[in-house]
Amino acid sequence: MIDKLRADFNRSADTHLLRLETPALPGIDLYLKDESAHPTGSLKHRLARSLFLYGICSGWINADRPVVEASSGSTAVSEAYFAKLLGLPFVAVVPRGTSKQKIAAIERHGGRCHFVDDIMEMAPVARGLAERTGGHFLDQFTYAERVTGWRGNDNIAASIFSQMSLERFPIPKWIVTSAGTGGTSATIGRYVRYRKVDTKVCVADPENSVFYDCFTKCRRDFRLAAPSRIEGIGRPVCEPSFIPEVIDRMLKIPDAASLGAMRVLAEHLGRRPGGSTGTNFYAMCRLAAEMIRRGGTGSIVTLLCDGGERYAGTYYDDAWLAAEGFDIDPYRLQVLTFLDSGQWRPVRA
Ligand SMILES: Cc1ncc(COP(=O)(O)O)c(C=O)c1O
């Protein structure tokens, strides 16, 4: 199984670092790490590969035994790909409301979906399924921060710094990401401390998520009833892989701002990113505006986490936005004005 994973990695190319054209922001350079280019369409491709390697090398994943995950989608899509590569049965425990596109993507890679009504049931149901079948529960929320090598040169942070090395501001002032498991921010936070570079890590948090409060109040016992409405990020409980100690700053981003910024970015790029990329981009623009206000110069990098194809019937559907009560236009105008003029005008909520 290890050889198959290594051969797959050997066939894979690294994802691009896109520089945004922002003539109205003369002293600031903005970059997007395009993780939608992975074979399974999201940043979760890296995590899935690491979870399988970790499980195999720990003796927990065995031939012909099923692997199970509790995932809202992106991770399960990537894990189904690797399970198929290894000839292992794969079961994803997903919330009943998961988008049809994501379910189809899991099944296209040969995975099977097991639906639950309450998202808080996902992990216990997945653990039970694995125990009953003699399989392995990959458990991304527990292991994400452990399985990703943060010192080596094959992680997302090392890739960003190597791709920034010939830019006019090679050491970014900020790297902005959001958190679902917390694994990506943990990897980037540890890497910048290990390399002792003068880069700060900022995590953007959507509504209906406890991460911002956990960070600002140094507590992990917050609980929320409603799940996040930005797929892939924000959690109702503080997940084990969320490591606030390696985060320098957090920003709370209104969901309408995430979706407004996502739409502006789609126009700017000429293709659609997903909702969590909108959260990242809005936070990036806020930090850039702050740097301009302080007369600073430099670069900021954030992640394009997944493509927007999966959200055609939701975030990119104006009727759906209206039905969900999202008024994105004030934020769309705010981000557009900023990119066109460098002016960051507050939105009157
Ligand atoms: C689309 C998307 N963006 C961002 C993230 C956040 O990544 P992490 O789990 O590493 O915090 C996820 C996680 O599931 C995701 O699916």
Side-chain angles (χ1 to χ4, degrees):
M1 291 197 277
I2 297 282
D3 292 343
K4 283 185 179 160
L5 286 174
R6 291 178 64 191
D8 174 82
F9 184 66
N10 193 46
R11 290 192 298 273
S12 304
D14 195 0
T15 56
H16 304 285
L17 185 68
L18 311 174
R19 192 165 72 83
L20 291 182
E21 294 301 324
T22 54
L25 316 179
I28 309 283
D29 293 338
L30 305 180
Y31 300 83
L32 290 171
K33 179 68 173 160
D34 183 8
E35 295 293 287
S36 73
H38 283 295
T40 52
S42 87
L43 79 173
K44 291 294 164 170
H45 196 78
R46 296 177 192 268
L47 174 64
R49 181 188 289 121
S50 300
L51 283 165
F52 274 90
L53 275 171
Y54 192 81
I56 293 166
C57 297
S58 305
W60 300 334
I61 294 177
N62 299 295
D64 309 323
R65 293 283 100 210
V67 280
V68 188
E69 182 61 281
S71 159
S72 67
S74 303
T75 307
V77 174
S78 302
E79 289 171 343
Y81 168 94
F82 286 105
K84 187 175 182 186
L85 181 79
L86 300 173
L88 301 172
F90 177 72
V91 182
V93 177
V94 301
R96 206 165 292 288
T98 297
S99 69
K100 283 195 289 310
Q101 288 88 345
K102 283 193 173 175
I103 294 164
I106 294 167
E107 292 171 349
R108 197 175 317 119
H109 293 297
R112 183 170 67 76
C113 291
H114 180 103
F115 298 96
V116 294
D117 297 314
D118 173 359
I119 67 165
M120 299 315 287
E121 278 175 35
M122 289 167 65
V125 168
R127 191 169 288 108
L129 270 175
E131 276 156 16
R132 280 199 302 284
T133 57
H136 172 60
F137 173 35
L138 290 161
D139 193 1
Q140 61 163 335
F141 290 105
T142 299
Y143 291 107
E145 60 89 9
R146 254 179 260 179
V147 301
T148 309
W150 44 272
R151 280 172 296 208
N153 56 15
D154 63 347
N155 65 64
I156 192 168
S159 171
I160 287 172
F161 281 92
S162 122
Q163 291 173 324
M164 284 293 291
S165 59
L166 300 180
E167 299 303 300
R168 71 169 173 163
F169 301 117
I171 304 295
K173 283 273 186 312
W174 292 97
I175 297 182
V176 179
T177 182
S178 36
T181 61
T184 303
S185 52
T187 301
I188 296 171
R190 287 177 175 144
Y191 186 85
V192 296
R193 280 159 179 74
Y194 175 63
R195 287 281 309 276
K196 295 200 280 188
V197 284
D198 186 20
T199 296
K200 296 272 181 285
V201 175
C202 176
V203 172
D205 202 31
E207 295 170 31
N208 300 312
S209 177
V210 297
F211 290 141
Y212 180 82
D213 289 339
C214 294
F215 174 79
T216 51
K217 301 188 175 80
C218 303
R219 283 174 47 190
R220 300 182 72 93
D221 57 348
F222 292 101
R223 284 185 93 81
L224 294 172
S228 159
R229 297 199 291 171
I230 306 296
E231 287 204 23
I233 60 170
R235 294 293 296 167
V237 293
C238 194
E239 301 294 353
S241 285
F242 178 69
I243 314 285
E245 293 81 3
V246 302
I247 297 170
D248 300 289
R249 184 165 173 196
M250 288 197 68
L251 293 174
K252 195 74 181 172
I253 310 294
D255 292 348
S258 293
L259 301 177
M262 175 198 77
R263 292 286 192 98
V264 171
L265 195 52
E267 287 148 30
H268 203 87
L269 294 174
R271 62 186 172 91
R272 292 175 166 184
S276 66
T277 304
T279 312
N280 293 347
F281 185 54
Y282 188 83
M284 169 188 247
C285 290
R286 266 189 63 179
L287 292 172
E290 208 177 81
M291 283 168 69
I292 291 171
R293 248 197 331 277
R294 294 185 178 149
T297 60
S299 56
I300 307 178
V301 177
T302 194
L303 309 190
L304 197 166
C305 301
D306 67 348
E309 310 72 43
R310 297 176 183 162
Y311 311 105
T314 54
Y315 304 152
Y316 286 95
D317 180 329
D318 290 343
W320 181 90
L321 288 177
E324 293 290 320
F326 286 122
D327 178 11
I328 68 170
D329 287 343
Y331 294 103
R332 214 170 149 196
L333 189 60
Q334 180 189 39
V335 175
L336 261 178
T337 307
F338 178 65
L339 293 179
D340 291 347
S341 70
Q343 304 285 319
W344 183 256
R345 302 215 176 93
V347 165
R348 304 214 185 295

